[in-house]
Amino acid sequence: MLDEAQAYEDSRNYDCCQIINGAFTVGCAVNEAYCEGRSATPADVEVEAVAKRLLWRSCKKWDGIESDYVAKDEDDAWDYAGEIPGFQEEYIRQAKEMLEIARKAVNE
């Protein structure tokens, strides 16, 4: 994460973390903000977006469900999954787990 933040900072035309008159430069603030964003807990909208994609990728056919339903798109599949008790919740659980794994890898 720190390497990514430094590369991002270096790709911009900022002063490179020099202290000027006792204050950090814009480059330092950008570097810190980048690190905070990369290590932040995922927002609900991020979790739901990952859950929808997992559902869409894994449920081209609805295994174990007695239905001839064919989803038109990702949102349609998500809406249909909401009618099946626990279905969306399981994909949200998986999405949170995947995002946690990704965040952990970024912080190591």
Side-chain angles (χ1 to χ4, degrees):
M1 173 177 63
L2 295 175
D3 291 341
E4 288 179 11
Q6 189 62 51
Y8 181 78
E9 181 183 331
D10 292 345
S11 72
R12 305 293 185 244
N13 193 19
Y14 300 125
D15 292 331
C16 190
C17 279
Q18 297 173 359
I19 298 176
I20 300 173
N21 295 329
F24 287 105
T25 63
V26 173
C28 285
V30 168
N31 189 304
E32 185 177 328
Y34 185 93
C35 290
E36 287 296 319
R38 293 288 278 156
S39 60
T41 302
D44 290 344
V45 69
E46 290 176 291
V47 172
E48 187 172 306
V50 171
K52 282 182 180 182
R53 181 55 54 97
L54 286 171
L55 172 70
W56 181 243
R57 296 269 184 179
S58 67
C59 291
K60 295 297 182 174
K61 64 178 191 167
W62 297 84
D63 293 333
I65 298 172
E66 298 292 329
S67 175
D68 294 327
Y69 181 78
V70 177
K72 294 177 236 132
D73 58 25
E74 196 172 280
D75 288 328
D76 189 39
W78 187 249
D79 291 342
Y80 181 73
E83 297 175 19
I84 303 164
F87 215 63
Q88 283 183 342
E89 291 78 11
E90 176 57 20
Y91 280 94
I92 287 171
R93 186 197 63 73
Q94 290 177 33
K96 285 179 179 178
E97 184 179 322
M98 291 181 73
L99 287 166
E100 179 62 29
I101 291 166
R103 295 283 198 255
K104 200 178 232 182
V106 165
N107 290 323
E108 291 179 351

